[in-house]
Amino acid sequence: MIYWDHNSTTPCAPEVVEAMRPYWNDDFGNPASSHIMGRRAAAAVNKARQQVATLANALPEEIVFTSGATESNNLLFLGVLLSPLQERRQIAVSAIEHKSVLEPARLLQERGFELIELPVDKNGAVDLEAAARLITPRCLLVSVQAANNEIGTIQPIAELARLAHDNGAYFHSDAAQALGRIPFDVLKINCDFASFSAHKLYGPKGIGALFVRGGARCWPWVRPFRGGGQEADLRPGTLNVPAIVGFGEACKIAAMNLDKKRRFLDELTTRFRGILHEKIPTARVITPIEKSLPGTLSVIFPKVNSDVLVANCKTICISRGSACNGAVGVSHVINLIVEGGYRECVVRISFGSQSSLDGLDLFINTVHKLLENQHE
Ligand SMILES: Cc1ncc(COP(=O)(O)O)c(C=O)c1O
């Protein structure tokens, strides 16, 4: 099986699986317990918190573990929603955010907030001039993803954070696709909040974090969840120790290999593009390679329906777009970036650290066969 869908999820690194192993049934204590087993589990969580923080250049107390980036994004927006006595009633998000930002933002809109969608250019990058006009002192929160999951665009988030702060607004970035894949430094970006997900960087599924600048004591809004007080009361509930340990280990490995992995993926993507261009000249890569996530390629194959192509690539796992869009048809991202007529013809290929071009001939033959069928 050939797996070219690393923006959907990545396999757990063997070191990650190994690091998690003792915490299932040997060191299985609850980190909130004061006895020795609890203290051991708490020490493992603290170590992982430090590892996650190091990768993002944050402080350990600024990392709040959640079940993933979806929950982190929702936690932030629900906090805003539940704090009704705010003078500022405007929220700004980019038009190509992940649904776990767009939908909570729309919920705020339904409840009386003004929602501003920051426009993007043809490459999916937020238009900074438009953003400078649209972000005003009435704005409470600006949220723009670090990198797009579908077409790979890396957003100018440091500039957007500056625009937000110049207007007295908070800045959040959904960094699910960025952490561990491109440098993501909360101090350099100067963000107030950021969402992370372990399963995009060779960690386990169902674990992630919300970075809160200054830690939970600086949380400016109502805490949406109630329970046992874990994670400084921002995300109460018994901690998933094995997953947290795995997340920490994945961050440790990512921090060591960031540049090397990036060079490897850039080279692989360039070779893939070259061969694709030669063998299928009608194919058009819409990912702006210079400013995009390493290893991500969104490609239009004119006259080839993407669902049919995905189904025919029986032993090659590629995707039509974001896994989170499921069977919803053309995503909001493709609708914005791609001209009508081609929107049904876009597939996403996302390479990972174990990828190679094995399977490329099979892939190209599959596209050729589908194109030939068109002419019959
Ligand atoms: C940009 C972005 N945000 C959020 C998510 C959701 O992350 P999780 O699966 O950890 O909830 C994803 C995952 O596809 C993503 O790509």
Side-chain angles (χ1 to χ4, degrees):
M1 194 58 77
I2 289 163
Y3 187 80
W4 288 346
D5 198 17
H6 291 78
N7 286 13
S8 289
T9 196
T10 57
C12 264
E15 300 92 323
V16 167
V17 175
E18 209 41 53
M20 291 167 73
R21 198 181 304 283
Y23 296 96
W24 296 110
N25 47 17
D26 288 333
D27 286 332
F28 59 86
N30 184 330
S33 303
S34 54
H35 51 63
I36 178 72
M37 291 290 281
R39 292 205 304 276
R40 266 198 217 160
V45 168
N46 287 343
K47 179 175 164 198
R49 202 185 298 281
Q50 177 70 63
Q51 289 167 319
V52 176
T54 300
L55 181 59
N57 198 19
L59 297 169
E61 61 269 26
E62 294 177 320
I63 301 297
V64 175
F65 288 116
T66 64
S67 67
T70 299
E71 186 184 333
S72 301
N73 293 337
N74 275 274
L75 171 57
L76 179 73
F77 282 89
L78 286 178
V80 177
L81 180 68
L82 291 173
S83 310
L85 299 176
Q86 305 173 83
E87 278 176 22
R88 292 173 179 239
R89 305 287 291 173
Q90 225 177 41
I91 309 284
V93 303
S94 91
I96 60 167
E97 289 303 303
H98 189 265
K99 286 194 168 166
S100 57
V101 164
L102 275 185
E103 295 198 359
R106 288 189 184 132
L107 179 63
L108 283 173
Q109 186 182 30
E110 282 165 25
R111 302 295 163 94
F113 282 81
E114 188 186 341
L115 178 62
I116 292 170
E117 280 195 9
L118 302 172
V120 296
D121 66 16
K122 65 181 185 357
N123 291 326
V126 170
D127 176 343
L128 286 173
E129 278 181 20
R133 275 195 313 277
L134 290 166
I135 298 171
T136 68
R138 292 198 300 131
C139 210
L140 174 64
L141 173 70
V142 178
S143 175
V144 176
Q145 61 193 186
N148 184 265
N149 45 310
E150 289 189 56
I151 57 171
T153 314
I154 295 176
Q155 298 292 2
I157 49 175
E159 288 87 338
L160 288 160
R162 197 173 321 124
L163 278 177
H165 292 150
D166 286 350
N167 286 282
Y170 292 102
F171 182 75
H172 164 252
S173 185
D174 173 355
Q177 294 288 344
L179 189 75
R181 302 178 67 193
I182 52 174
F184 187 87
D185 180 322
V186 293
L187 287 184
K188 279 197 186 141
I189 296 158
N190 197 12
C191 57
D192 304 298
F193 307 97
S195 302
F196 305 137
S197 175
H199 73 102
K200 309 288 186 186
L201 64 141
Y202 303 90
K205 296 170 185 50
I207 189 74
L210 181 66
F211 158 77
V212 179
R213 180 196 285 275
R217 72 193 153 82
C218 295
W219 181 254
W221 297 302
V222 170
R223 289 161 158 76
F225 303 144
R226 303 294 141 124
Q230 291 91 342
E231 296 302 89
D233 239 4
L234 256 185
R235 204 283 190 163
T238 304
L239 294 178
N240 183 346
V241 180
I244 288 173
V245 168
F247 185 16
E249 183 70 18
C251 289
K252 183 184 108 186
I253 299 169
M256 295 187 304
N257 290 334
L258 209 56
D259 278 349
K260 199 169 139 212
K261 237 171 39 192
R262 189 176 185 165
R263 276 197 304 277
F264 166 77
L265 288 172
D266 281 347
E267 199 195 303
L268 190 69
T269 314
T270 306
R271 277 168 49 216
F272 185 94
R273 270 174 72 122
I275 297 171
L276 196 66
H277 185 64
E278 186 188 317
K279 301 274 167 94
I280 311 176
T282 53
R284 182 152 57 94
V285 176
I286 55 172
T287 301
I289 293 298
E290 322 70 50
K291 286 190 183 159
S292 93
L293 269 181
T296 300
L297 282 166
S298 208
V299 191
I300 300 175
F301 291 100
K303 300 203 167 95
V304 179
N305 179 283
S306 45
D307 282 331
V308 176
L309 178 55
V310 170
N312 275 267
C313 286
K314 294 193 176 65
T315 54
I316 306 176
C317 302
I318 56 169
S319 103
R320 198 186 46 179
S322 155
C324 303
N325 278 311
V328 175
V330 176
S331 76
H332 60 293
V333 178
I334 299 303
N335 259 324
L336 264 177
I337 304 294
V338 178
E339 321 84 273
Y342 293 114
R343 291 183 185 139
E344 307 277 350
C345 308
V346 186
V347 293
R348 179 186 69 188
I349 291 158
S350 44
F351 297 121
S353 55
Q354 301 298 317
S355 298
S356 71
L357 295 188
D358 289 353
L360 182 53
D361 285 345
L362 176 62
F363 179 68
I364 286 170
N365 286 343
T366 308
V367 177
H368 277 149
K369 261 196 212 124
L370 292 174
L371 281 170
E372 278 159 24
N373 289 348
Q374 300 272 332
H375 299 302
E376 278 168 8

Coordinates of all heavy atoms in Angstrom, one line a residue, residues 99 150 321-322 325 328-336 343:
K99 N -12.8 23.7 9.1 CA -14.2 23.8 9.5 C -14.3 24.0 11.1 O -15.2 24.5 11.6 CB -15.0 22.7 9.1 CG -15.3 22.8 7.6 CD -16.4 21.9 7.2 CE -16.9 22.2 5.8 NZ -17.7 21.2 5.2
E150 N -5.6 21.7 2.8 CA -5.9 21.2 1.5 C -4.9 21.6 0.4 O -4.4 20.8 -0.3 CB -7.3 21.7 1.1 CG -8.4 21.0 1.9 CD -9.8 21.4 1.3 OE1 -10.0 21.1 0.2 OE2 -10.6 21.9 2.1
G321 N -9.5 16.0 -0.9 CA -9.3 17.3 -0.2 C -9.1 17.0 1.2 O -8.4 16.0 1.6
S322 N -9.8 17.7 2.1 CA -9.6 17.5 3.5 C -10.4 16.2 3.9 O -11.6 16.1 3.5 CB -10.1 18.7 4.2 OG -10.5 18.4 5.5
N325 N -13.8 17.0 5.3 CA -14.9 17.4 4.5 C -15.8 16.2 4.1 O -16.9 16.3 3.6 CB -14.5 18.1 3.3 CG -14.2 19.6 3.6 OD1 -15.1 20.2 4.2 ND2 -13.1 20.1 3.2
V328 N -18.8 15.6 1.5 CA -19.5 16.8 1.3 C -19.4 17.5 -0.1 O -20.1 18.4 -0.4 CB -19.1 17.9 2.4 CG1 -19.8 19.2 2.2 CG2 -19.4 17.3 3.8
G329 N -18.7 16.9 -1.0 CA -18.5 17.5 -2.3 C -17.3 18.4 -2.3 O -16.4 18.2 -1.5
V330 N -17.4 19.4 -3.2 CA -16.3 20.3 -3.3 C -16.2 21.2 -2.0 O -17.1 21.7 -1.5 CB -16.5 21.2 -4.5 CG1 -15.4 22.2 -4.7 CG2 -16.5 20.4 -5.8
S331 N -15.0 21.3 -1.5 CA -14.8 22.0 -0.2 C -14.8 23.5 -0.5 O -14.7 24.0 -1.6 CB -13.4 21.7 0.4 OG -12.4 22.3 -0.3
H332 N -15.0 24.3 0.6 CA -15.0 25.7 0.5 C -13.7 26.3 0.0 O -13.7 27.3 -0.6 CB -15.4 26.3 1.9 CG -14.5 26.0 3.0 ND1 -14.3 24.7 3.5 CD2 -13.6 26.8 3.7 CE1 -13.4 24.7 4.5 NE2 -12.9 26.0 4.6
V333 N -12.6 25.6 0.3 CA -11.3 26.0 -0.1 C -11.2 25.9 -1.6 O -10.8 26.9 -2.3 CB -10.2 25.2 0.6 CG1 -8.8 25.6 0.1 CG2 -10.3 25.3 2.1
I334 N -11.5 24.7 -2.2 CA -11.4 24.5 -3.6 C -12.4 25.5 -4.3 O -12.1 26.0 -5.4 CB -11.7 23.0 -4.0 CG1 -10.6 22.2 -3.3 CG2 -11.7 22.8 -5.5 CD1 -9.2 22.5 -3.6
N335 N -13.6 25.7 -3.8 CA -14.6 26.6 -4.4 C -14.0 28.0 -4.5 O -14.3 28.6 -5.5 CB -15.8 26.6 -3.5 CG -16.9 25.8 -4.1 OD1 -17.0 25.7 -5.3 ND2 -17.7 25.1 -3.2
L336 N -13.2 28.4 -3.6 CA -12.6 29.7 -3.6 C -11.4 29.9 -4.6 O -11.2 30.9 -5.2 CB -12.2 30.2 -2.2 CG -13.1 31.0 -1.4 CD1 -12.5 31.2 0.0 CD2 -13.4 32.3 -2.1
R343 N -13.3 22.3 -10.5 CA -13.4 22.0 -9.0 C -13.6 20.6 -8.7 O -13.2 20.1 -7.6 CB -14.5 22.9 -8.4 CG -14.2 24.3 -8.5 CD -15.4 25.1 -7.8 NE -15.1 26.5 -8.0 CZ -16.0 27.4 -8.3 NH1 -17.2 27.1 -8.5 NH2 -15.6 28.7 -8.4

